[in-house]
Amino acid sequence: MSPTPDHACRPAATPRTAPPHASCLLLAAVAVTPVAAQTGPLPPAGGATPTRLATVVVPGTTRQADAFDVPASVDSEDARRLDSLNVNISDALTTVPGLVARNRQNYAQDEQLSIRGFGARSTFGIRGVRLYFDGIPATMPDGQGQVSHVNLETAERIEVLRGPFSALYGNSSGGVVQVFTADGTEPTELRAGIAGGGNGTLRANLGARGIEGPFDYNVGFTHFQTDGERDHSAAQRESGNGKLRWTGDSGASLSLVVNTVNIPGAQDPLGLTREDFEADPTQVAAPAETFDTRKSVSQQQAGLVWEQPLGGGHSLRAMGYYGQRDVLQYLSIPVFVQTASPLQAGAVIDLQNEYGGGDARWMWDGELAGGALSLTAGVSRDRQRQHRYGYENFVGDTLGVRGALRRDQVDRVDSDDVYAQASWTFHPDWTLTAGARRSEIGFDSRDRYVTADNPDDSGRAEYAQTSPVAGLLWRVTPAANVYAAWGRGFETPTFSELGYRFDGSAGLAFDLVPARSRNSELGLKLRPRDGVAVDLALFHTETRDELAVATNNGGRTTYQNIDRSRRRGAEAAVDLDLAPAWRLRTALTWMQATFESPFLTCGGSGCTEPDTPVAAGSPIPGVPRRTASTVLAWEPAETGWRASAYGRYVDDVPTDDLGRDAADAYTVFDLSAGYVFDAGRSRIATFARVDNVFDRQYAGSVIVNDGNGRYFEPGLGRTLTVGADLRWR
């Protein structure tokens, strides 16, 4: 379960100053380590090590349970790492097997998240993976999501669900990531923090949480800014989050969650070709400066959650939310491309989004035939209305400005779901869990830009899917659980993928159909003694009608359905107390993601019709075959000195469907050390951290199927960050 690749010790990416065979060092370290899972309490204030928590939300419900007793691969991670900038969600997810979280070093695009290969082909934002923030969807009903509004200053934990039970969350659920805000504390706690480092990077935050009578609260604000390691990659982001909860004497509670984010004019350096990447990874693609590529985002969101126990094991939960998200983005599409066709939609995207929805569910805990039985049933509705404008990115000879209108349409997507789930311990050693979700999703587009040369593009499409899941857990011994799970899932095209038709004619590509998957998983969870946890999982997914690129020309990407694809692999993780002050955590993933049916795609720039064959068995781009990560932490006491060492290995990452190039495998190491001062009512945690200690040159992420061959987004070079976190009670 800890396979060593036969080519892992070869030289990988060109090092700036890299030790030979770095990947061998990391893999040797993890190969001798037991494999881990979810265990352990939150670290004390100032703790440097991310923690895998024991208690998680049962998939598809809001019930709490020990992850050891859940028939699924699920991890719960400490959201706040006090030895880092604590800005990007990817920083907190480094040791989750099966998940690839990439910080693109480009704040004009969201982070990349993929789970077991789902979501790997997304060129912007997050798709294929379902996202939630305090139970409120961060994924729109069409399947497109983002995490830019997640404020880690107030967050307590991040849960990651993989495998068949993800389907209980509906459309585009190749995996599920949920972020939870921490509850208020007694006594009141005030927080302030600051951290900074290379490339003009600065993070400052303020927060408070406490309890006042029946109310508890947690509010926080974070300012982040950076000049960027690459030219033309400066960004600024302000985010805030607040949770206010009232709890009544009967156990009823009402929670208000409000969050906001503002990203003004984040510069987009675009990807680099291999030649440019190898010559100078800090440079910017020339079109980025020519057209001043950039993006601004403004989002405000609020949600209410009501929970009411009814007695007799019954309880109700209702949630409602509403939000607005505006995006203004300047692209680098050349002028001659925009003027060549009256159907071209321009290169300035102006999106005005309104979204909202609700969920209501009934839950019951009781007995059946002497065994514990829990039931959940509910309904949900989500709606998104997007007014999309497109403009030329030039006025006369002036580039990178808003020009003439080329698109005006209103897109709407509605999702109506019903679901049910049951879990029954029919024998002390056996638990059966099963459920299903019925989803009906309607897309509607109304064209308001109609001319003699640009006909009405309005249209509508409807998709429906019933997704059943089932899992069986066997308690072999008090320290060993074995489980098997199976389910069906689906993924509709997003509005971005529906944007252009395969044949180049006007209108949306409503001929695309959802990708439908059959997922199976076999797992083993071990807890042989305190301080040791082991999780192993084998998974296999068969997908019909996988979405893949058909053409990529003139800033337009069109898509097609591929008959069959497959994802299969193995995961392993360990959480091991080596000694009273030492802790080791490791995560390993081996995965094979391939197209199982041949198809045609475009083989060169300017291609308007697929003309190059992709053979069956070709790898799905964006998916590394092997990944490994390790954290070794030394923390002798709640106060005083502490230190951590991080290592991660990522295998070659194919960049396009034809397999013409790949981001080279790499291994990087990070080191951190800090000191925690305890002054009675106040506590100060300081840290110094060096990322990429050996200054390795590597591609931290790839832009899959980029039509210009600019696939590579450079990772962070050697960078020093220092900071301090104050908590006062």
Side-chain angles (χ1 to χ4, degrees), residues 395-408:
V395 176
D397 294 331
T398 304
L399 306 179
V401 296
R402 187 187 309 211
L405 180 68
R406 298 296 294 271
R407 169 183 274 185
D408 181 358

Side-chain angles (χ1 to χ4, degrees), residues 232-591:
H232 197 78
S233 62
Q236 178 178 315
R237 182 168 75 190
E238 280 86 29
S239 64
N241 182 62
K243 184 175 78 170
L244 174 65
R245 182 177 62 179
W246 168 84
T247 303
D249 294 337
S250 65
S253 68
L254 180 65
S255 300
L256 171 66
V257 180
V258 178
N259 52 67
T260 180
V261 66
N262 184 45
I263 306 174
Q267 294 178 326
D268 186 353
L270 307 179
L272 295 175
T273 64
R274 174 169 286 280
E275 181 181 9
D276 289 339
F277 169 71
E278 292 181 345
D280 179 8
T282 66
Q283 67 178 298
V284 59
E289 293 186 315
T290 301
F291 290 95
D292 190 17
T293 50
R294 60 200 186 274
K295 184 166 86 171
S296 298
V297 177
S298 176
Q299 176 174 315
Q300 300 80 38
Q301 176 178 288
L304 281 171
V305 180
W306 172 61
E307 296 177 285
Q308 176 68 61
L310 300 176
H314 298 271
S315 62
L316 296 175
R317 177 185 182 273
M319 180 273 295
Y321 69 99
Y322 172 79
Q324 295 180 323
R325 182 179 177 90
D326 296 334
V327 177
L328 180 63
Q329 185 171 15
Y330 289 77
L331 305 178
S332 60
I333 300 174
V335 173
F336 75 87
V337 173
Q338 298 174 67
T339 57
S341 169
L343 302 181
Q344 225 289 336
V348 178
I349 300 173
D350 186 350
L351 302 178
Q352 300 172 9
N353 288 280
E354 290 184 273
Y355 58 91
D359 177 278
R361 65 186 62 172
W362 160 83
M363 293 173 285
W364 177 73
D365 292 305
E367 290 188 359
L368 176 64
L373 174 66
S374 64
L375 301 175
T376 301
V379 296
S380 70
R381 177 174 174 80
D382 300 284
R383 179 179 179 180
Q384 176 190 9
R385 182 184 185 276
Q386 181 181 91
H387 198 161
R388 177 186 290 265
Y389 296 96
Y391 300 90
E392 295 172 345
N393 63 353
F394 64 93
V395 176
D397 294 331
T398 304
L399 306 179
V401 296
R402 187 187 309 211
L405 180 68
R406 298 296 294 271
R407 169 183 274 185
D408 181 358
Q409 69 188 52
V410 176
D411 298 329
R412 194 181 76 180
V413 57
D414 297 278
S415 176
D416 293 284
D417 293 37
V418 295
Y419 56 89
Q421 180 180 335
S423 183
W424 179 34
T425 303
F426 59 89
H427 182 277
D429 297 332
W430 293 87
T431 298
L432 175 65
T433 303
R437 188 179 186 108
R438 174 67 177 178
S439 301
E440 297 181 355
I441 303 171
F443 289 80
D444 183 86
S445 180
R446 295 300 154 191
D447 190 0
R448 297 184 177 183
Y449 182 76
V450 180
T451 69
D453 298 320
N454 191 330
D456 191 341
D457 296 343
S458 301
R460 179 173 177 81
E462 295 183 354
Y463 306 114
Q465 169 80 9
T466 299
S467 301
V469 296
L472 184 64
L473 182 95
W474 175 31
R475 297 172 183 83
V476 183
T477 71
N481 285 346
V482 174
Y483 69 91
W486 175 90
R488 291 181 178 176
F490 78 112
E491 181 179 0
T492 67
T494 68
F495 260 121
S496 297
E497 291 156 337
L498 294 169
Y500 303 104
R501 290 185 179 178
F502 181 95
D503 59 5
S505 62
L508 300 185
F510 285 130
D511 58 323
L512 295 175
V513 300
R516 304 178 190 273
S517 300
R518 295 191 178 194
N519 310 292
S520 56
E521 179 179 347
L522 181 65
L524 170 66
K525 301 184 181 186
L526 302 174
R527 305 295 184 269
R529 61 177 175 82
D530 289 344
V532 176
V534 176
D535 276 7
L536 307 174
L538 301 174
F539 61 89
H540 186 100
T541 299
E542 298 281 349
T543 302
R544 302 298 301 265
D545 297 317
E546 177 88 30
L547 283 172
V549 169
T551 65
N552 201 330
N553 181 45
R556 285 186 170 189
T557 301
T558 68
Y559 294 86
Q560 59 183 320
N561 289 110
I562 304 305
D563 186 29
R564 291 184 299 115
S565 65
R566 182 175 64 189
R567 297 168 176 86
R568 61 181 179 180
E571 298 169 355
V574 69
D575 198 331
L576 175 65
D577 289 340
L578 298 173
W582 292 88
R583 186 176 183 183
L584 180 69
R585 299 184 56 217
T586 297
L588 298 169
T589 305
W590 173 84
M591 181 162 52

Side-chain angles (χ1 to χ4, degrees), residues 6-21:
D6 54 9
H7 65 284
C9 300
R10 73 186 185 196
T14 305
R16 292 185 175 111
T17 332
H21 313 306

